[in-house]
Amino acid sequence: QVQLVESGGGLVQAGGSLRLSCVASGSFLNTYAMGWFRQAPGKEREFVAAISWSANSADYADSVKGRFTISRPNAKNTVYLQIDSLKPEDTAVYYCAADRFTAATRMRTKSIGNMDCWGKGTLVTVSS
């Protein structure tokens, strides 16, 4: 079983930047695609970005393309989400997810309930 711990959330003004981190621990980490989802108050959890275990493939939600960058340096156990040009509508709890033997491009369509692992989330609040 893989455990995920997120960090890096906080309060930031619109137009600012944050970098979220997700540290994974456990076995066979190189078989897991990893991704970020977010859940705003009163809304369903939605896909944000995903990256393959080898870090050679990434996928983004249309709403964040050009502003968010997912990375997995050296294909190791830490995944980052660089968030630039933050908007108030980016306010949400951001969750890290991992799914074994899944392509990065498939994480966006995977059922929330069927994802292998979830972190507890980190809150991002963007003030206008």
Side-chain angles (χ1 to χ4, degrees):
Q1 184 70 12
V2 170
Q3 291 80 45
L4 305 173
V5 178
E6 305 98 331
S7 62
L11 174 64
V12 64
Q13 287 189 330
S17 297
L18 279 176
R19 189 177 78 160
L20 307 183
S21 301
C22 173
V23 178
S25 59
S27 302
F28 307 112
L29 294 179
N30 64 351
T31 62
Y32 284 81
M34 295 181 68
W36 290 92
F37 291 70
R38 66 185 181 185
Q39 189 166 14
K43 295 188 177 181
E44 294 186 350
R45 195 171 299 189
E46 64 175 1
F47 170 79
V48 173
I51 192 165
S52 64
W53 70 266
S54 62
N56 63 3
S57 176
D59 188 28
Y60 295 91
D62 288 345
S63 59
V64 307
K65 279 182 181 177
R67 297 191 299 121
F68 289 26
T69 304
I70 190 170
S71 63
R72 191 171 185 176
N74 300 316
K76 295 296 186 182
N77 66 326
T78 301
V79 174
Y80 299 100
L81 186 68
Q82 177 69 37
I83 310 175
D84 298 319
S85 303
L86 276 157
K87 304 176 181 180
E89 52 264 43
D90 294 320
T91 295
V93 177
Y94 283 71
Y95 296 93
C96 183
D99 207 61
R100 199 173 186 196
F101 300 134
T102 297
T105 52
R106 294 293 301 274
M107 287 194 78
R108 64 162 63 221
T109 58
K110 186 109 187 232
S111 168
I112 298 295
N114 288 333
M115 202 70 68
D116 284 340
C117 309
W118 288 100
K120 293 184 177 181
T122 185
L123 177 62
V124 173
T125 304
V126 184
S127 63
S128 58

